[in-house]
Amino acid sequence: DSGVTQTPKHLITATGQRVTLRCSPRSGDLSVYWYQQSLDQGLQFLIQYYNGEERAKGNILERFSAQQFPDLHSELNLSSLELGDSALYFCASSVVGTGNDYGYTFGSGTRLTVV
Amino acid sequence: DQQVKQNSPSLSVQEGRISILNCDYTNSMFDYFLWYKKYPAEGPTFLISISSIKDKNEDGRFTVFLNKSAKHLSLHIVPSQPGDSAVYFCAASARDNTGKLIFGQGTTLQVKP
């Protein structure tokens, strides 16, 4: 157990639907990162939150949004789902979340299948 | 634009031999490099890292080499063990006051007994 909890582990949904993925960071970590891993692809950075505020944004689609709550858990919302959104979605957390803090802790991921 | 590239999707080595995994990058602003290991159904786990001010970092059987002029890094595993069979990702961080990492596509290592 890495200390980063992602729920659900698996999700199957239809095109056009909306889903919410949840991440609880490791105790004491203030920063949360979301990554997407599609088939045969590396981990693509989506978005970072630090202590409730957005800090960095990657190639995140407009149909996707995220937030970090006061208790530091984070949710990734995916809407108007398309078949191409099927992927593994990973959450990671780190203590500080700046360029001087390296080596995240990853959760085990949520596998999203859009049918 | 793939800023971090792992050009070998897979690598197979014999137990006891050396495994060498390679990674190239294009962004000269990257100043910190990391290797992660991933088993099926698990998230990636941190393995070893190197700062751009160094050219080598060693941790047990794992050594990372950085060649800044060539924008190339490599991970050496000696001796390789069957338990090392996993997907290995290299990642890079830039001096941008965020913690975001840019990952390569991964290399699947198989160590045969």
Side-chain angles (χ1 to χ4, degrees):
Chain A
D1 180 10
S2 68
V4 178
T5 304
Q6 288 189 249
T7 56
K9 289 194 183 303
H10 302 277
L11 197 49
I12 301 175
T13 190
T15 54
Q17 295 298 305
R18 172 190 166 96
V19 296
T20 297
L21 312 184
R22 182 187 169 104
C23 170
S24 294
R26 197 177 53 167
S27 178
D29 286 356
L30 298 177
S31 197
V32 169
Y33 309 81
W34 286 97
Y35 282 83
Q36 178 192 56
Q37 184 185 16
S38 302
L39 191 65
D40 295 332
Q41 297 289 314
L43 294 118
Q44 301 292 318
F45 172 70
L46 295 179
I47 197 163
Q48 175 196 4
Y49 279 83
Y50 175 71
N51 205 20
E53 295 194 2
E54 182 183 304
R55 173 162 281 186
K57 213 167 187 175
N59 297 325
I60 186 166
L61 299 173
E62 285 190 12
R63 300 183 285 109
F64 296 1
S65 65
Q67 54 185 324
Q68 185 180 27
F69 295 86
D71 67 353
L72 300 178
H73 92 271
S74 178
E75 292 180 357
L76 179 66
N77 301 296
L78 315 176
S79 61
S80 303
L81 284 167
E82 302 175 358
L83 295 178
D85 298 326
S86 296
L88 265 171
Y89 291 85
F90 287 103
C91 166
S93 71
S94 67
V95 174
V96 179
T98 70
N100 295 319
D101 175 38
Y102 305 105
Y104 315 145
T105 301
F106 278 89
S108 56
T110 294
R111 180 172 292 282
L112 173 66
T113 303
V114 182
V115 297
Chain B
D1 176 26
Q2 191 73 30
Q3 299 184 66
V4 177
K5 296 180 184 179
Q6 294 176 257
N7 292 317
S8 298
S10 63
L11 175 67
S12 180
V13 300
Q14 209 65 35
E15 180 179 6
R17 299 291 186 103
I18 184 172
S19 297
I20 300 176
L21 296 97
N22 294 302
C23 179
D24 297 295
Y25 63 96
T26 57
N27 190 338
S28 58
M29 295 298 290
F30 289 148
D31 66 345
Y32 206 85
F33 303 89
L34 308 91
W35 284 93
Y36 280 80
K37 177 179 177 180
K38 184 182 179 306
Y39 292 117
E42 295 181 11
T45 55
F46 170 73
L47 189 58
I48 193 170
S49 62
I50 187 167
S51 164
S52 60
I53 62 173
K54 294 185 176 182
D55 55 17
K56 177 182 175 181
N57 189 26
E58 201 170 346
D59 184 3
R61 296 185 297 112
F62 302 91
T63 303
V64 56
F65 295 92
L66 175 62
N67 182 334
K68 282 181 62 179
S69 61
K71 293 190 174 65
H72 177 84
L73 64 152
S74 60
L75 174 69
H76 292 211
I77 307 174
V78 183
S80 301
Q81 300 174 353
D84 297 328
S85 299
V87 179
Y88 289 78
F89 292 97
C90 71
S93 175
R95 307 178 205 105
D96 61 1
N97 202 39
T98 76
K100 76 172 189 277
L101 297 179
I102 307 300
F103 284 83
Q105 309 95 308
T107 297
T108 301
L109 173 66
Q110 183 184 27
V111 180
K112 297 180 179 178

